[in-house]
Amino acid sequence: MISLKTKVWLSILAAPAALIFIYVITMQVRNPETRWDWNEIEVDTIDFPPGFQWGVATSSHQVEGNCNNNWSRWEASFKADGTPRIHNGDRSIVACDHWNRYKEDIELIKALGVSVYRFSVEWSKIEPEAGHFDESAIQHYRDVCLALKAAGITPVVTLHHFTNPLWFEDMGAFENEANIRYFVRFSQRVFDSLKDHVAIWCTINEPAVYTTQGYFNGVWPPGKQNPQLAGEVMKNLLVAHTRVYEALKSRVDGKNYQVGIVKNVFPFDPYNRWNPIDWFVCSILDGVFNQGALDYFQTGKFSFSLPGMDKVKYINKSGIGSLDFIGLNNYSHQRVKSQLNPKEFFRFEFYPNEEMTDMFYPIYPEAIYRSIKRVKDINVPIIITENGIADKNDDHRRRYIERYLYAVSKAIKEGADIRGYYYWSLMDNFEWSEGYEMKFGLYEVDFTTQIRTLREGSKRYMDIVARFSQ
Ligand code: GAL
């Protein structure tokens, strides 16, 4: 017999329990964790349309060497406890010496059989002081473009890939909307100088990564942990993109150029699909990291909200349509486990059977497929501007490449308008706070001798590129 007291309690709890149940079921239905049976899949049943752009990517700070910017200063500084900020105390210093070795590196790109090289221009070298442009640095990038074209390779330029000149960083960088004008001025200058050689322009690389690492986790410069500021920075980066887009498109022949942003999408999956708190955290993270920017381009509305901050809300109708293409970066997914710890109410934790890369995430090709399906809704052509694996033993690279490309091809067959795929990265390089230990390169780099050696696993990429480059 159930007592009256128990009956009362049960009736009080029934409604919230039912609501939580409905919430969990709705989340499960809306966010399936797609899993394919790779034992059944023939990875060679891929297809890519004629003219598909096969490429490789790098960024200036990670490969060039001798940068004097917010990152080089960060690398030389220490945490409050006196330990270095970068894994193993690494510093970028000469990196791959790509600034001096670009001609040899272009030969390496050519040897892969690809037809595109995505690289970034280093703002701190081009404009070392506010308003003072170094013509020799601009000439350097012109020379790079000319050498690429001579080798039959199309240059794709990124204007901002995480690094700022010190003068810009010291005035608050993208924390202040008023500073955006400096980035627009720089972008116009670079555009005017390189437009004879460059048709495809990426404005800003991964605004959400720049924001969360620099202003939420505080592990990248400027090392702040301030959700409110993170929201402002994220908004300002999107505004900066739109202003640069408008500025470049309104140049005399601007219409002839393709201008887009590079957006990283990382699906968030709950550790326990029956845990409503895991789902709740996933949806917050997804909003901040993925959906906020996607909404901005689809609706002109942006909102950013994390516990402990006032929601940042912004409406800019010119956000809609300020893209000729969207660059999509995807590497994997994240698995979220909530916990009863007010200082750290969730952590990322994977199942023991997930096949891990050397980074803190697994090989999960379905992630790129899911990410494509999301950015597809913006209705502009997609370029996969980055995808690749850190794999120092080179025993997963081959499988990673063939499976992720299978996923890309499947999305194309199902109607996604994907114009190209650029592998990250051409060669091992300075992997931000992870330093030199992460080996993303198709070419291995010996950082003592600067000798580059093609990895075995990379040949899978070369074979696929050759097959679809006729
Ligand atoms: C991206 C970033 C690249 C590179 C890559 C590998 O987020 O744009 O610069 O670091 O990740 O982790």
Side-chain angles (χ1 to χ4, degrees), residues 408-456:
V408 174
S409 161
K410 181 171 162 65
I412 295 175
K413 286 181 189 167
E414 291 170 12
D417 181 6
I418 305 177
R419 304 287 171 93
Y421 171 96
Y422 310 159
Y423 188 84
W424 184 276
S425 177
L426 166 64
M427 57 191 157
D428 295 341
N429 56 49
F430 180 74
E431 177 55 24
W432 310 112
S433 46
E434 299 314 313
Y436 285 109
E437 201 168 293
M438 293 298 158
K439 307 294 186 190
F440 276 94
L442 291 172
Y443 289 95
E444 179 181 355
V445 176
D446 177 329
F447 287 98
T448 321
T449 60
Q450 290 294 346
I451 290 174
R452 283 89 154 118
T453 314
L454 183 69
R455 288 201 163 91
E456 270 307 304

Side-chain angles (χ1 to χ4, degrees), residues 90-335:
D90 286 350
R91 292 175 61 182
S92 56
I93 316 278
V94 289
C96 310
D97 194 25
H98 183 60
W99 180 270
N100 296 313
R101 295 170 193 259
Y102 72 88
K103 287 191 182 129
E104 294 95 299
D105 289 340
I106 289 172
E107 288 305 311
L108 299 180
I109 300 174
K110 200 173 163 189
L112 295 170
V114 299
S115 60
V116 172
Y117 179 41
R118 171 182 173 230
F119 61 97
S120 71
V121 286
E122 181 53 41
W123 187 2
S124 62
K125 286 178 178 161
I126 293 178
E127 194 180 358
E129 287 164 44
H132 169 84
F133 290 87
D134 182 338
E135 271 311 314
S136 67
I138 295 177
Q139 186 56 46
H140 168 85
Y141 291 112
R142 240 186 249 121
D143 294 342
V144 171
C145 291
L146 286 170
L148 283 166
K149 283 169 74 180
I153 294 161
T154 304
V156 169
V157 167
T158 307
L159 290 161
H160 189 274
H161 197 122
F162 299 152
T163 54
N164 295 324
L166 290 172
W167 60 264
F168 185 71
E169 185 81 350
D170 291 339
M171 61 167 66
F174 293 99
E175 290 168 27
N176 309 325
E177 191 170 339
N179 293 344
I180 292 174
R181 63 175 191 274
Y182 298 106
F183 179 58
V184 176
R185 179 178 68 182
F186 159 75
S187 300
Q188 281 173 325
R189 182 70 175 246
V190 174
F191 180 80
D192 291 346
S193 310
L194 301 184
K195 71 184 173 64
D196 290 347
H197 313 297
V198 180
I200 303 179
W201 294 83
C202 304
T203 55
I204 295 174
N205 184 69
E206 300 186 342
V209 175
Y210 175 93
T211 303
T212 47
Q213 296 290 69
Y215 292 90
F216 187 69
N217 300 325
V219 294
W220 286 13
K224 298 188 180 174
Q225 289 183 296
N226 181 338
Q228 198 69 45
L229 200 51
E232 288 299 321
V233 169
M234 182 70 200
K235 181 219 52 169
N236 288 339
L237 287 168
L238 294 172
V239 175
H241 160 80
T242 299
R243 297 225 181 118
V244 170
Y245 179 86
E246 286 167 349
L248 302 192
K249 297 301 277 191
S250 59
R251 292 316 239 197
V252 187
D253 46 1
K255 302 273 171 295
N256 303 334
Y257 296 84
Q258 302 289 304
V259 183
I261 197 166
V262 171
K263 174 79 194 93
N264 180 310
V265 177
F266 243 98
F268 292 95
D269 290 309
Y271 194 86
N272 178 347
R273 292 184 73 80
W274 288 103
N275 183 335
I277 309 176
D278 285 6
W279 276 114
F280 181 67
V281 179
C282 281
S283 62
I284 292 186
L285 295 177
D286 188 69
V288 164
F289 198 84
N290 299 322
Q291 197 55 41
L294 301 181
D295 280 346
Y296 173 80
F297 291 113
Q298 269 172 281
T299 63
K301 291 186 193 148
F302 170 73
S303 86
F304 184 104
S305 162
L306 282 165
M309 64 174 280
D310 299 330
K311 192 179 211 166
V312 174
K313 276 180 141 186
Y314 181 75
I315 300 184
N316 178 9
K317 286 290 168 205
S318 19
I320 312 172
S322 63
L323 287 177
D324 299 322
F325 68 91
I326 182 148
L328 171 65
N329 291 358
N330 172 267
Y331 289 86
S332 184
H333 71 150
Q334 286 292 3
R335 196 177 285 297

Side-chain angles (χ1 to χ4, degrees), residues 55-58 384-390 397 400-401 421-426 440-442 461:
V56 286
T58 63
I384 310 293
T385 32
E386 283 180 35
N387 172 245
I389 180 170
R397 188 168 277 101
Y400 185 99
I401 291 169
Y421 171 96
Y422 310 159
Y423 188 84
W424 184 276
S425 177
L426 166 64
F440 276 94
L442 291 172
Y461 187 47

